Amino acid sequence: MDPRRARDPRLARVDPRLQRGPSALPTPSPQQQSGSGQGATQWTTNGAYMASQSMVPNVLVQQADTASENAIAGPSTPTNNAGSSAYKPRLLFCVVCASNQNRSMEGHHVLHKAGYRVISYGTGSAVRLPGPSIDKPNIYSFGTPYNSIYEELSAKDPRLYTANGLLQMLDRNRRIKLAPERWQDSKTVADVVITCEERCFDAVCDDLLSRGGEFNKPVHIINIEIKDNHEEALIAGKAMLDLAAAIEISQDIDEDIDRILQVQQERHPHSLLHAIAFY
């Protein structure tokens, strides 16, 4: 006798597992033992249950046969669901001002932040920024990085260029893209061009006309007249956001553009121009 059982009354009890008799496995019924007919079962010598092949439902067999036939015949022609809408790619907006610094970059900023596809350009011959006096502007060529302009002006007179908002503007711009870009040098095809003053509108229209429209790709050009200062640029940024939203949800911009511009004019103070050109 195990001496531990004498000391511990719990161990003194007989293990109930040892009291089990022969394995009490389920006894197959006579119908199950017959092994004949649909749905017969089999029992192995150790008592394990095993379904016979005849227990596989006819539906599954038919489905398997159908799948095999389809695999041999190849994929069928998809049905045309009239209720499903056709794929519509996202529009590409392009915002254009003179120097690709203030107004166009404010529009670029708000549209990009709202999730729109957007690019921006300038139409001038060079990038011109306010200097210490009206007759001494800071002039840079297109392609000069915003960060380089920021560092140069910050080294020249940080107090002046902070007070007039140039450093804050350049800091925003360098977080959006590398450098100001010129419209006339661009090759990207946009769906909608938003210009920020009439001379930029004219420059874009004239440039597209000179290209000859070899792609035959229409583009809507919309001018929003904006004064070139930071306050007016902020206000116009909200107007551009409303305009882009109305254009993007339109199912047919060619049909809806007049109504969209009418609503835009009623909601915002900027005068509008519109033209259709071709890339």
Side-chain angles (χ1 to χ4, degrees), residues 8 17-18 32-33 51 53-54 57 61 97 99 120 132 140 145-147 171 184 188 222 231 242 257 263-264 271 275:
D8 191 340
R17 294 175 295 178
L18 301 178
Q32 293 172 334
Q33 290 178 344
Q53 186 175 4
S54 61
V61 175
C97 69
S99 294
S120 60
Y140 302 91
Y146 291 114
N147 189 60
D171 183 54
Q184 290 84 347
T188 305
I222 303 169
E231 294 76 15
D242 287 348
I257 190 64
V263 173
Q264 181 77 11
S271 60

Side-chain angles (χ1 to χ4, degrees), residues 41-62:
T41 60
Q42 297 178 0
W43 293 82
T44 61
T45 56
N46 61 358
Y49 172 80
M50 180 178 68
S52 67
Q53 186 175 4
S54 61
M55 289 187 66
V56 179
N58 291 334
V59 175
L60 297 180
V61 175
Q62 293 173 358

Side-chain angles (χ1 to χ4, degrees), residues 89-230:
R90 296 289 303 274
L91 297 176
L92 178 62
F93 293 90
C94 177
V95 190
V96 181
C97 69
S99 294
N100 197 200
Q101 290 284 351
N102 180 33
R103 296 164 293 180
S104 63
M105 287 303 291
E106 177 61 28
H108 191 146
H109 170 67
V110 297
L111 292 178
H112 176 73
K113 188 176 180 180
Y116 294 96
R117 297 177 62 228
V118 58
I119 53 178
S120 60
Y121 296 105
T123 58
S125 58
V127 175
R128 289 176 171 80
L129 297 174
S133 62
I134 193 171
D135 59 338
K136 294 181 180 179
N138 293 288
I139 301 177
Y140 302 91
S141 60
F142 280 97
T144 304
Y146 291 114
N147 189 60
S148 299
I149 302 174
Y150 177 91
E151 291 178 350
E152 181 177 322
L153 296 184
S154 182
K156 281 183 178 180
D157 193 338
R159 184 175 179 180
L160 169 64
Y161 296 119
T162 299
N164 65 11
L166 276 187
L167 293 183
Q168 296 91 317
M169 179 190 73
L170 290 166
D171 183 54
R172 175 203 64 196
N173 295 351
R174 66 180 178 176
R175 297 173 189 272
I176 298 173
K177 66 178 188 177
L178 177 64
E181 300 171 270
R182 191 165 184 257
W183 164 268
Q184 290 84 347
D185 300 329
S186 69
K187 302 298 181 183
T188 305
V189 177
D191 297 291
V192 179
V193 177
I194 302 174
T195 58
C196 299
E197 64 175 295
E198 189 171 350
R199 63 170 177 160
C200 299
F201 176 83
D202 293 339
V204 169
C205 292
D206 291 344
D207 179 69
L208 288 175
L209 187 61
S210 68
R211 297 186 189 189
E214 65 175 306
F215 299 137
N216 200 31
K217 169 70 170 62
V219 55
H220 289 267
I221 308 169
I222 303 169
N223 183 68
I224 301 177
E225 196 68 25
I226 309 167
K227 293 181 180 179
D228 193 5
N229 59 61
H230 302 300

Side-chain angles (χ1 to χ4, degrees), residues 204-277:
V204 169
C205 292
D206 291 344
D207 179 69
L208 288 175
L209 187 61
S210 68
R211 297 186 189 189
E214 65 175 306
F215 299 137
N216 200 31
K217 169 70 170 62
V219 55
H220 289 267
I221 308 169
I222 303 169
N223 183 68
I224 301 177
E225 196 68 25
I226 309 167
K227 293 181 180 179
D228 193 5
N229 59 61
H230 302 300
E231 294 76 15
E232 291 295 327
L234 286 173
I235 296 172
K238 299 176 183 178
M240 291 184 198
L241 199 57
D242 287 348
L243 179 61
I247 290 174
E248 184 150 276
I249 64 174
S250 171
Q251 296 300 317
D252 189 340
I253 184 176
D254 297 327
E255 291 290 333
D256 297 341
I257 190 64
D258 291 337
R259 176 185 55 82
I260 291 172
L261 294 178
Q262 181 180 354
V263 173
Q264 181 77 11
Q265 189 68 82
E266 293 171 355
R267 291 182 177 179
H268 299 280
H270 313 93
S271 60
L272 301 176
L273 295 173
H274 173 250
I276 298 177

